[in-house]
Amino acid sequence: MSLSNHIIVRDPDVLGGTPVFRGTRVPFQALLDYLEGGQTLDEFLDDFPTVTREAAVHALEHAKSLVVGQLG
């Protein structure tokens, strides 16, 4: 997964190449799991303080544009 501005990165030396927020070891999937489980963005950010609100929102917006683009 390659997001604009490289908010989400893959590095084989970090969690075996799992997509993570740049500069962290927090998988993007963790954010999706939180939201799917009914938790809020604020709860995610409280639990993963190394991820900024801006990074999380940008990653979600980009993921949304990819999905909407595939459906259109």
Side-chain angles (χ1 to χ4, degrees):
M1 176 183 299
S2 174
L3 297 180
S4 60
N5 297 328
H6 305 285
I7 298 292
I8 304 298
V9 296
R10 284 185 180 189
D11 180 339
D13 295 329
V14 177
L15 296 178
T18 298
V20 297
F21 286 92
R22 175 183 286 290
T24 77
R25 296 180 64 82
V26 179
F28 176 63
Q29 183 66 48
L31 173 57
L32 299 177
D33 291 344
Y34 263 64
L35 298 176
E36 182 180 22
Q39 293 169 289
T40 66
L41 178 58
D42 286 332
E43 289 172 311
F44 172 81
L45 295 171
D46 286 344
D47 288 345
F48 297 97
T50 57
V51 178
T52 66
R53 175 175 298 279
E54 294 78 17
V57 169
H58 185 81
L60 289 170
E61 287 174 346
H62 188 76
K64 176 184 171 184
S65 73
L66 290 174
V67 171
V68 170
Q70 289 178 359
L71 297 175

